[in-house]
Amino acid sequence: MHAIESVETISIEDSSSADLVAEMNAKRKRIRFWPLVLLGTGGLCIAAAQLNAPRWVMIAAGAIGLAATLAVAIWDQLRKTTVLMYRRPPVVE
C-alpha cells in the first residue's frame, strides 16, 4: 500500500468551488440502479416459483440476480463518487 501525504486544509488552493459543488450535486442526483436489479431478481424468482420451475432454476436465478445486484451496486457507487485532487503548495522555509 502506498502512503499518501497529507496537508493542512488551510493550505489547499481553491481551483473552483462552484464547479466542485455543481459536480457533487449532479452526482448526488443520479439514481441508483441496484434496487431495480434486486426487485427484478425477486420478481424473476417469484415468477419461476409460480410457473413451478425446478428448484435449481430458482436457485440459479437468485444467485445470478444477487451477483448482478452486487455488480450494479458497485457500479452505482463509482458513478456517484467525486474524486478530489489537490496540489500541495511549495514549502516555504
PDB file of all heavy atoms in Angstrom, residues 31-69:
ATOM      1  N   ILE A  31     -29.644   8.557 -10.079  1.00  0.00           N
ATOM      2  CA  ILE A  31     -30.420   7.496  -9.436  1.00  0.00           C
ATOM      3  C   ILE A  31     -29.561   6.246  -9.283  1.00  0.00           C
ATOM      4  O   ILE A  31     -28.627   6.007 -10.050  1.00  0.00           O
ATOM      5  CB  ILE A  31     -31.710   7.171 -10.220  1.00  0.00           C
ATOM      6  CG1 ILE A  31     -31.380   6.602 -11.594  1.00  0.00           C
ATOM      7  CG2 ILE A  31     -32.603   8.369 -10.319  1.00  0.00           C
ATOM      8  CD1 ILE A  31     -32.578   6.015 -12.300  1.00  0.00           C
ATOM      9  N   ARG A  32     -29.910   5.467  -8.294  1.00  0.00           N
ATOM     10  CA  ARG A  32     -29.220   4.189  -8.063  1.00  0.00           C
ATOM     11  C   ARG A  32     -30.021   3.094  -8.775  1.00  0.00           C
ATOM     12  O   ARG A  32     -31.240   3.034  -8.663  1.00  0.00           O
ATOM     13  CB  ARG A  32     -29.131   3.897  -6.577  1.00  0.00           C
ATOM     14  CG  ARG A  32     -28.279   4.887  -5.826  1.00  0.00           C
ATOM     15  CD  ARG A  32     -28.121   4.443  -4.380  1.00  0.00           C
ATOM     16  NE  ARG A  32     -27.484   5.462  -3.586  1.00  0.00           N
ATOM     17  CZ  ARG A  32     -26.173   5.565  -3.417  1.00  0.00           C
ATOM     18  NH1 ARG A  32     -25.370   4.712  -3.995  1.00  0.00           N
ATOM     19  NH2 ARG A  32     -25.669   6.515  -2.665  1.00  0.00           N
ATOM     20  N   PHE A  33     -29.314   2.229  -9.490  1.00  0.00           N
ATOM     21  CA  PHE A  33     -29.978   1.174 -10.249  1.00  0.00           C
ATOM     22  C   PHE A  33     -30.031  -0.159  -9.505  1.00  0.00           C
ATOM     23  O   PHE A  33     -30.815  -1.028  -9.872  1.00  0.00           O
ATOM     24  CB  PHE A  33     -29.273   0.964 -11.599  1.00  0.00           C
ATOM     25  CG  PHE A  33     -29.459   2.117 -12.536  1.00  0.00           C
ATOM     26  CD1 PHE A  33     -28.401   2.934 -12.876  1.00  0.00           C
ATOM     27  CD2 PHE A  33     -30.699   2.394 -13.079  1.00  0.00           C
ATOM     28  CE1 PHE A  33     -28.568   3.998 -13.735  1.00  0.00           C
ATOM     29  CE2 PHE A  33     -30.882   3.458 -13.936  1.00  0.00           C
ATOM     30  CZ  PHE A  33     -29.808   4.267 -14.268  1.00  0.00           C
ATOM     31  N   TRP A  34     -29.210  -0.342  -8.463  1.00  0.00           N
ATOM     32  CA  TRP A  34     -29.179  -1.648  -7.817  1.00  0.00           C
ATOM     33  C   TRP A  34     -30.514  -2.046  -7.190  1.00  0.00           C
ATOM     34  O   TRP A  34     -30.859  -3.236  -7.233  1.00  0.00           O
ATOM     35  CB  TRP A  34     -28.024  -1.766  -6.827  1.00  0.00           C
ATOM     36  CG  TRP A  34     -28.193  -1.016  -5.535  1.00  0.00           C
ATOM     37  CD1 TRP A  34     -27.703   0.202  -5.234  1.00  0.00           C
ATOM     38  CD2 TRP A  34     -28.897  -1.461  -4.381  1.00  0.00           C
ATOM     39  NE1 TRP A  34     -28.065   0.566  -3.971  1.00  0.00           N
ATOM     40  CE2 TRP A  34     -28.803  -0.442  -3.411  1.00  0.00           C
ATOM     41  CE3 TRP A  34     -29.607  -2.608  -4.069  1.00  0.00           C
ATOM     42  CZ2 TRP A  34     -29.383  -0.548  -2.161  1.00  0.00           C
ATOM     43  CZ3 TRP A  34     -30.189  -2.712  -2.817  1.00  0.00           C
ATOM     44  CH2 TRP A  34     -30.062  -1.681  -1.882  1.00  0.00           C
ATOM     45  N   PRO A  35     -31.323  -1.121  -6.645  1.00  0.00           N
ATOM     46  CA  PRO A  35     -32.622  -1.573  -6.129  1.00  0.00           C
ATOM     47  C   PRO A  35     -33.533  -2.122  -7.233  1.00  0.00           C
ATOM     48  O   PRO A  35     -34.298  -3.066  -7.000  1.00  0.00           O
ATOM     49  CB  PRO A  35     -33.225  -0.316  -5.491  1.00  0.00           C
ATOM     50  CG  PRO A  35     -32.066   0.556  -5.181  1.00  0.00           C
ATOM     51  CD  PRO A  35     -31.083   0.283  -6.281  1.00  0.00           C
ATOM     52  N   LEU A  36     -33.426  -1.549  -8.422  1.00  0.00           N
ATOM     53  CA  LEU A  36     -34.232  -2.057  -9.543  1.00  0.00           C
ATOM     54  C   LEU A  36     -33.806  -3.463  -9.937  1.00  0.00           C
ATOM     55  O   LEU A  36     -34.641  -4.323 -10.231  1.00  0.00           O
ATOM     56  CB  LEU A  36     -34.119  -1.106 -10.735  1.00  0.00           C
ATOM     57  CG  LEU A  36     -34.586   0.329 -10.503  1.00  0.00           C
ATOM     58  CD1 LEU A  36     -34.275   1.191 -11.710  1.00  0.00           C
ATOM     59  CD2 LEU A  36     -36.062   0.345 -10.179  1.00  0.00           C
ATOM     60  N   VAL A  37     -32.493  -3.706  -9.928  1.00  0.00           N
ATOM     61  CA  VAL A  37     -31.989  -5.038 -10.258  1.00  0.00           C
ATOM     62  C   VAL A  37     -32.428  -6.040  -9.190  1.00  0.00           C
ATOM     63  O   VAL A  37     -32.828  -7.162  -9.499  1.00  0.00           O
ATOM     64  CB  VAL A  37     -30.448  -5.021 -10.413  1.00  0.00           C
ATOM     65  CG1 VAL A  37     -29.907  -6.409 -10.652  1.00  0.00           C
ATOM     66  CG2 VAL A  37     -30.042  -4.091 -11.548  1.00  0.00           C
ATOM     67  N   LEU A  38     -32.393  -5.622  -7.934  1.00  0.00           N
ATOM     68  CA  LEU A  38     -32.819  -6.505  -6.847  1.00  0.00           C
ATOM     69  C   LEU A  38     -34.307  -6.824  -6.949  1.00  0.00           C
ATOM     70  O   LEU A  38     -34.718  -7.980  -6.783  1.00  0.00           O
ATOM     71  CB  LEU A  38     -32.504  -5.866  -5.493  1.00  0.00           C
ATOM     72  CG  LEU A  38     -32.791  -6.716  -4.265  1.00  0.00           C
ATOM     73  CD1 LEU A  38     -31.938  -7.978  -4.279  1.00  0.00           C
ATOM     74  CD2 LEU A  38     -32.516  -5.924  -3.001  1.00  0.00           C
ATOM     75  N   LEU A  39     -35.124  -5.810  -7.263  1.00  0.00           N
ATOM     76  CA  LEU A  39     -36.561  -6.056  -7.458  1.00  0.00           C
ATOM     77  C   LEU A  39     -36.803  -6.976  -8.643  1.00  0.00           C
ATOM     78  O   LEU A  39     -37.679  -7.852  -8.590  1.00  0.00           O
ATOM     79  CB  LEU A  39     -37.298  -4.736  -7.655  1.00  0.00           C
ATOM     80  CG  LEU A  39     -37.509  -3.884  -6.414  1.00  0.00           C
ATOM     81  CD1 LEU A  39     -38.108  -2.543  -6.789  1.00  0.00           C
ATOM     82  CD2 LEU A  39     -38.387  -4.612  -5.417  1.00  0.00           C
ATOM     83  N   GLY A  40     -36.044  -6.783  -9.716  1.00  0.00           N
ATOM     84  CA  GLY A  40     -36.177  -7.675 -10.868  1.00  0.00           C
ATOM     85  C   GLY A  40     -35.806  -9.101 -10.530  1.00  0.00           C
ATOM     86  O   GLY A  40     -36.462 -10.050 -10.984  1.00  0.00           O
ATOM     87  N   THR A  41     -34.778  -9.260  -9.715  1.00  0.00           N
ATOM     88  CA  THR A  41     -34.373 -10.605  -9.287  1.00  0.00           C
ATOM     89  C   THR A  41     -35.469 -11.259  -8.460  1.00  0.00           C
ATOM     90  O   THR A  41     -35.805 -12.427  -8.673  1.00  0.00           O
ATOM     91  CB  THR A  41     -33.071 -10.529  -8.462  1.00  0.00           C
ATOM     92  OG1 THR A  41     -32.046  -9.983  -9.275  1.00  0.00           O
ATOM     93  CG2 THR A  41     -32.658 -11.888  -7.956  1.00  0.00           C
ATOM     94  N   GLY A  42     -36.038 -10.490  -7.535  1.00  0.00           N
ATOM     95  CA  GLY A  42     -37.136 -11.025  -6.729  1.00  0.00           C
ATOM     96  C   GLY A  42     -38.326 -11.388  -7.586  1.00  0.00           C
ATOM     97  O   GLY A  42     -38.946 -12.447  -7.400  1.00  0.00           O
ATOM     98  N   GLY A  43     -38.658 -10.526  -8.545  1.00  0.00           N
ATOM     99  CA  GLY A  43     -39.774 -10.815  -9.444  1.00  0.00           C
ATOM    100  C   GLY A  43     -39.530 -12.049 -10.290  1.00  0.00           C
ATOM    101  O   GLY A  43     -40.438 -12.859 -10.509  1.00  0.00           O
ATOM    102  N   LEU A  44     -38.295 -12.200 -10.736  1.00  0.00           N
ATOM    103  CA  LEU A  44     -37.951 -13.381 -11.534  1.00  0.00           C
ATOM    104  C   LEU A  44     -38.073 -14.658 -10.703  1.00  0.00           C
ATOM    105  O   LEU A  44     -38.597 -15.672 -11.188  1.00  0.00           O
ATOM    106  CB  LEU A  44     -36.532 -13.239 -12.082  1.00  0.00           C
ATOM    107  CG  LEU A  44     -36.030 -14.346 -12.988  1.00  0.00           C
ATOM    108  CD1 LEU A  44     -36.872 -14.416 -14.257  1.00  0.00           C
ATOM    109  CD2 LEU A  44     -34.574 -14.118 -13.332  1.00  0.00           C
ATOM    110  N   CYS A  45     -37.619 -14.613  -9.467  1.00  0.00           N
ATOM    111  CA  CYS A  45     -37.723 -15.793  -8.597  1.00  0.00           C
ATOM    112  C   CYS A  45     -39.175 -16.122  -8.277  1.00  0.00           C
ATOM    113  O   CYS A  45     -39.568 -17.293  -8.262  1.00  0.00           O
ATOM    114  CB  CYS A  45     -36.921 -15.575  -7.312  1.00  0.00           C
ATOM    115  SG  CYS A  45     -35.141 -15.578  -7.579  1.00  0.00           S
ATOM    116  N   ILE A  46     -39.987 -15.091  -8.051  1.00  0.00           N
ATOM    117  CA  ILE A  46     -41.416 -15.323  -7.781  1.00  0.00           C
ATOM    118  C   ILE A  46     -42.098 -15.889  -9.017  1.00  0.00           C
ATOM    119  O   ILE A  46     -42.914 -16.817  -8.923  1.00  0.00           O
ATOM    120  CB  ILE A  46     -42.088 -14.020  -7.309  1.00  0.00           C
ATOM    121  CG1 ILE A  46     -41.581 -13.664  -5.903  1.00  0.00           C
ATOM    122  CG2 ILE A  46     -43.608 -14.143  -7.324  1.00  0.00           C
ATOM    123  CD1 ILE A  46     -42.019 -12.302  -5.417  1.00  0.00           C
ATOM    124  N   ALA A  47     -41.765 -15.343 -10.184  1.00  0.00           N
ATOM    125  CA  ALA A  47     -42.359 -15.864 -11.426  1.00  0.00           C
ATOM    126  C   ALA A  47     -41.951 -17.315 -11.654  1.00  0.00           C
ATOM    127  O   ALA A  47     -42.784 -18.133 -12.070  1.00  0.00           O
ATOM    128  CB  ALA A  47     -41.926 -14.995 -12.607  1.00  0.00           C
ATOM    129  N   ALA A  48     -40.689 -17.635 -11.370  1.00  0.00           N
ATOM    130  CA  ALA A  48     -40.239 -19.028 -11.538  1.00  0.00           C
ATOM    131  C   ALA A  48     -40.983 -19.942 -10.583  1.00  0.00           C
ATOM    132  O   ALA A  48     -41.347 -21.071 -10.944  1.00  0.00           O
ATOM    133  CB  ALA A  48     -38.731 -19.114 -11.317  1.00  0.00           C
ATOM    134  N   ALA A  49     -41.230 -19.482  -9.355  1.00  0.00           N
ATOM    135  CA  ALA A  49     -41.968 -20.297  -8.388  1.00  0.00           C
ATOM    136  C   ALA A  49     -43.422 -20.485  -8.836  1.00  0.00           C
ATOM    137  O   ALA A  49     -43.990 -21.580  -8.688  1.00  0.00           O
ATOM    138  CB  ALA A  49     -41.915 -19.651  -7.014  1.00  0.00           C
ATOM    139  N   GLN A  50     -44.042 -19.438  -9.395  1.00  0.00           N
ATOM    140  CA  GLN A  50     -45.426 -19.528  -9.856  1.00  0.00           C
ATOM    141  C   GLN A  50     -45.566 -20.462 -11.055  1.00  0.00           C
ATOM    142  O   GLN A  50     -46.618 -21.073 -11.244  1.00  0.00           O
ATOM    143  CB  GLN A  50     -45.957 -18.133 -10.221  1.00  0.00           C
ATOM    144  CG  GLN A  50     -46.120 -17.215  -9.042  1.00  0.00           C
ATOM    145  CD  GLN A  50     -47.183 -17.705  -8.074  1.00  0.00           C
ATOM    146  OE1 GLN A  50     -48.203 -18.245  -8.465  1.00  0.00           O
ATOM    147  NE2 GLN A  50     -46.917 -17.516  -6.784  1.00  0.00           N
ATOM    148  N   LEU A  51     -44.509 -20.555 -11.848  1.00  0.00           N
ATOM    149  CA  LEU A  51     -44.537 -21.427 -13.023  1.00  0.00           C
ATOM    150  C   LEU A  51     -44.083 -22.844 -12.698  1.00  0.00           C
ATOM    151  O   LEU A  51     -43.904 -23.658 -13.603  1.00  0.00           O
ATOM    152  CB  LEU A  51     -43.656 -20.843 -14.130  1.00  0.00           C
ATOM    153  CG  LEU A  51     -44.140 -19.511 -14.708  1.00  0.00           C
ATOM    154  CD1 LEU A  51     -43.095 -18.939 -15.657  1.00  0.00           C
ATOM    155  CD2 LEU A  51     -45.473 -19.699 -15.421  1.00  0.00           C
ATOM    156  N   ASN A  52     -43.898 -23.122 -11.420  1.00  0.00           N
ATOM    157  CA  ASN A  52     -43.447 -24.441 -10.960  1.00  0.00           C
ATOM    158  C   ASN A  52     -42.145 -24.866 -11.632  1.00  0.00           C
ATOM    159  O   ASN A  52     -41.986 -26.020 -12.046  1.00  0.00           O
ATOM    160  CB  ASN A  52     -44.534 -25.504 -11.172  1.00  0.00           C
ATOM    161  CG  ASN A  52     -45.743 -25.252 -10.303  1.00  0.00           C
ATOM    162  OD1 ASN A  52     -45.607 -24.789  -9.174  1.00  0.00           O
ATOM    163  ND2 ASN A  52     -46.929 -25.516 -10.834  1.00  0.00           N
ATOM    164  N   ALA A  53     -41.228 -23.936 -11.743  1.00  0.00           N
ATOM    165  CA  ALA A  53     -39.912 -24.246 -12.318  1.00  0.00           C
ATOM    166  C   ALA A  53     -39.144 -25.119 -11.329  1.00  0.00           C
ATOM    167  O   ALA A  53     -39.410 -25.095 -10.124  1.00  0.00           O
ATOM    168  CB  ALA A  53     -39.145 -22.951 -12.575  1.00  0.00           C
ATOM    169  N   PRO A  54     -38.208 -25.898 -11.837  1.00  0.00           N
ATOM    170  CA  PRO A  54     -37.397 -26.723 -10.927  1.00  0.00           C
ATOM    171  C   PRO A  54     -36.663 -25.844  -9.908  1.00  0.00           C
ATOM    172  O   PRO A  54     -36.347 -24.677 -10.172  1.00  0.00           O
ATOM    173  CB  PRO A  54     -36.402 -27.422 -11.854  1.00  0.00           C
ATOM    174  CG  PRO A  54     -37.005 -27.342 -13.208  1.00  0.00           C
ATOM    175  CD  PRO A  54     -37.853 -26.124 -13.232  1.00  0.00           C
ATOM    176  N   ARG A  55     -36.381 -26.427  -8.760  1.00  0.00           N
ATOM    177  CA  ARG A  55     -35.732 -25.688  -7.686  1.00  0.00           C
ATOM    178  C   ARG A  55     -34.389 -25.123  -8.127  1.00  0.00           C
ATOM    179  O   ARG A  55     -34.030 -24.009  -7.769  1.00  0.00           O
ATOM    180  CB  ARG A  55     -35.556 -26.592  -6.472  1.00  0.00           C
ATOM    181  CG  ARG A  55     -34.889 -25.909  -5.309  1.00  0.00           C
ATOM    182  CD  ARG A  55     -34.826 -26.814  -4.109  1.00  0.00           C
ATOM    183  NE  ARG A  55     -36.113 -26.926  -3.496  1.00  0.00           N
ATOM    184  CZ  ARG A  55     -36.483 -26.258  -2.402  1.00  0.00           C
ATOM    185  NH1 ARG A  55     -35.652 -25.432  -1.853  1.00  0.00           N
ATOM    186  NH2 ARG A  55     -37.663 -26.417  -1.878  1.00  0.00           N
ATOM    187  N   TRP A  56     -33.633 -25.879  -8.932  1.00  0.00           N
ATOM    188  CA  TRP A  56     -32.317 -25.402  -9.349  1.00  0.00           C
ATOM    189  C   TRP A  56     -32.414 -24.147 -10.212  1.00  0.00           C
ATOM    190  O   TRP A  56     -31.524 -23.308 -10.197  1.00  0.00           O
ATOM    191  CB  TRP A  56     -31.520 -26.507 -10.055  1.00  0.00           C
ATOM    192  CG  TRP A  56     -32.065 -26.903 -11.400  1.00  0.00           C
ATOM    193  CD1 TRP A  56     -32.960 -27.882 -11.664  1.00  0.00           C
ATOM    194  CD2 TRP A  56     -31.741 -26.293 -12.648  1.00  0.00           C
ATOM    195  NE1 TRP A  56     -33.227 -27.933 -13.017  1.00  0.00           N
ATOM    196  CE2 TRP A  56     -32.480 -26.960 -13.648  1.00  0.00           C
ATOM    197  CE3 TRP A  56     -30.900 -25.254 -13.026  1.00  0.00           C
ATOM    198  CZ2 TRP A  56     -32.410 -26.622 -14.983  1.00  0.00           C
ATOM    199  CZ3 TRP A  56     -30.829 -24.910 -14.363  1.00  0.00           C
ATOM    200  CH2 TRP A  56     -31.577 -25.604 -15.336  1.00  0.00           C
ATOM    201  N   VAL A  57     -33.516 -24.000 -10.956  1.00  0.00           N
ATOM    202  CA  VAL A  57     -33.705 -22.815 -11.778  1.00  0.00           C
ATOM    203  C   VAL A  57     -33.899 -21.591 -10.884  1.00  0.00           C
ATOM    204  O   VAL A  57     -33.308 -20.523 -11.122  1.00  0.00           O
ATOM    205  CB  VAL A  57     -34.911 -22.991 -12.738  1.00  0.00           C
ATOM    206  CG1 VAL A  57     -35.259 -21.684 -13.425  1.00  0.00           C
ATOM    207  CG2 VAL A  57     -34.624 -24.081 -13.753  1.00  0.00           C
ATOM    208  N   MET A  58     -34.694 -21.738  -9.823  1.00  0.00           N
ATOM    209  CA  MET A  58     -34.917 -20.624  -8.901  1.00  0.00           C
ATOM    210  C   MET A  58     -33.633 -20.254  -8.156  1.00  0.00           C
ATOM    211  O   MET A  58     -33.337 -19.077  -7.967  1.00  0.00           O
ATOM    212  CB  MET A  58     -36.031 -20.975  -7.918  1.00  0.00           C
ATOM    213  CG  MET A  58     -37.400 -21.026  -8.566  1.00  0.00           C
ATOM    214  SD  MET A  58     -38.730 -21.265  -7.396  1.00  0.00           S
ATOM    215  CE  MET A  58     -38.527 -23.001  -7.007  1.00  0.00           C
ATOM    216  N   ILE A  59     -32.877 -21.269  -7.750  1.00  0.00           N
ATOM    217  CA  ILE A  59     -31.613 -21.009  -7.047  1.00  0.00           C
ATOM    218  C   ILE A  59     -30.622 -20.321  -7.979  1.00  0.00           C
ATOM    219  O   ILE A  59     -29.958 -19.349  -7.595  1.00  0.00           O
ATOM    220  CB  ILE A  59     -31.036 -22.312  -6.461  1.00  0.00           C
ATOM    221  CG1 ILE A  59     -31.946 -22.811  -5.341  1.00  0.00           C
ATOM    222  CG2 ILE A  59     -29.610 -22.104  -5.967  1.00  0.00           C
ATOM    223  CD1 ILE A  59     -31.584 -24.182  -4.822  1.00  0.00           C
ATOM    224  N   ALA A  60     -30.532 -20.801  -9.224  1.00  0.00           N
ATOM    225  CA  ALA A  60     -29.614 -20.195 -10.193  1.00  0.00           C
ATOM    226  C   ALA A  60     -30.032 -18.761 -10.508  1.00  0.00           C
ATOM    227  O   ALA A  60     -29.186 -17.853 -10.567  1.00  0.00           O
ATOM    228  CB  ALA A  60     -29.563 -21.030 -11.472  1.00  0.00           C
ATOM    229  N   ALA A  61     -31.323 -18.534 -10.691  1.00  0.00           N
ATOM    230  CA  ALA A  61     -31.811 -17.180 -10.980  1.00  0.00           C
ATOM    231  C   ALA A  61     -31.528 -16.248  -9.800  1.00  0.00           C
ATOM    232  O   ALA A  61     -31.101 -15.096  -9.993  1.00  0.00           O
ATOM    233  CB  ALA A  61     -33.311 -17.211 -11.285  1.00  0.00           C
ATOM    234  N   GLY A  62     -31.726 -16.735  -8.597  1.00  0.00           N
ATOM    235  CA  GLY A  62     -31.449 -15.923  -7.410  1.00  0.00           C
ATOM    236  C   GLY A  62     -29.966 -15.607  -7.273  1.00  0.00           C
ATOM    237  O   GLY A  62     -29.590 -14.474  -6.967  1.00  0.00           O
ATOM    238  N   ALA A  63     -29.121 -16.613  -7.503  1.00  0.00           N
ATOM    239  CA  ALA A  63     -27.671 -16.402  -7.372  1.00  0.00           C
ATOM    240  C   ALA A  63     -27.163 -15.425  -8.437  1.00  0.00           C
ATOM    241  O   ALA A  63     -26.383 -14.512  -8.130  1.00  0.00           O
ATOM    242  CB  ALA A  63     -26.935 -17.735  -7.474  1.00  0.00           C
ATOM    243  N   ILE A  64     -27.605 -15.618  -9.671  1.00  0.00           N
ATOM    244  CA  ILE A  64     -27.184 -14.711 -10.748  1.00  0.00           C
ATOM    245  C   ILE A  64     -27.722 -13.307 -10.495  1.00  0.00           C
ATOM    246  O   ILE A  64     -27.017 -12.309 -10.678  1.00  0.00           O
ATOM    247  CB  ILE A  64     -27.640 -15.254 -12.117  1.00  0.00           C
ATOM    248  CG1 ILE A  64     -26.858 -16.525 -12.455  1.00  0.00           C
ATOM    249  CG2 ILE A  64     -27.464 -14.206 -13.211  1.00  0.00           C
ATOM    250  CD1 ILE A  64     -27.391 -17.284 -13.651  1.00  0.00           C
ATOM    251  N   GLY A  65     -28.958 -13.213 -10.028  1.00  0.00           N
ATOM    252  CA  GLY A  65     -29.546 -11.910  -9.729  1.00  0.00           C
ATOM    253  C   GLY A  65     -28.827 -11.198  -8.592  1.00  0.00           C
ATOM    254  O   GLY A  65     -28.608  -9.987  -8.655  1.00  0.00           O
ATOM    255  N   LEU A  66     -28.440 -11.930  -7.549  1.00  0.00           N
ATOM    256  CA  LEU A  66     -27.711 -11.309  -6.446  1.00  0.00           C
ATOM    257  C   LEU A  66     -26.316 -10.868  -6.884  1.00  0.00           C
ATOM    258  O   LEU A  66     -25.837  -9.802  -6.468  1.00  0.00           O
ATOM    259  CB  LEU A  66     -27.640 -12.256  -5.257  1.00  0.00           C
ATOM    260  CG  LEU A  66     -28.957 -12.451  -4.500  1.00  0.00           C
ATOM    261  CD1 LEU A  66     -28.774 -13.471  -3.379  1.00  0.00           C
ATOM    262  CD2 LEU A  66     -29.481 -11.144  -3.954  1.00  0.00           C
ATOM    263  N   ALA A  67     -25.669 -11.666  -7.721  1.00  0.00           N
ATOM    264  CA  ALA A  67     -24.359 -11.265  -8.244  1.00  0.00           C
ATOM    265  C   ALA A  67     -24.491 -10.013  -9.108  1.00  0.00           C
ATOM    266  O   ALA A  67     -23.670  -9.090  -9.018  1.00  0.00           O
ATOM    267  CB  ALA A  67     -23.732 -12.403  -9.044  1.00  0.00           C
ATOM    268  N   ALA A  68     -25.545  -9.967  -9.922  1.00  0.00           N
ATOM    269  CA  ALA A  68     -25.779  -8.778 -10.755  1.00  0.00           C
ATOM    270  C   ALA A  68     -26.097  -7.564  -9.880  1.00  0.00           C
ATOM    271  O   ALA A  68     -25.634  -6.448 -10.162  1.00  0.00           O
ATOM    272  CB  ALA A  68     -26.923  -9.037 -11.737  1.00  0.00           C
ATOM    273  N   THR A  69     -26.852  -7.776  -8.810  1.00  0.00           N
ATOM    274  CA  THR A  69     -27.169  -6.680  -7.887  1.00  0.00           C
ATOM    275  C   THR A  69     -25.908  -6.128  -7.246  1.00  0.00           C
ATOM    276  O   THR A  69     -25.721  -4.912  -7.151  1.00  0.00           O
ATOM    277  CB  THR A  69     -28.152  -7.146  -6.805  1.00  0.00           C
ATOM    278  OG1 THR A  69     -29.345  -7.624  -7.432  1.00  0.00           O
ATOM    279  CG2 THR A  69     -28.500  -6.021  -5.845  1.00  0.00           C
TER     280      THR A  69
END
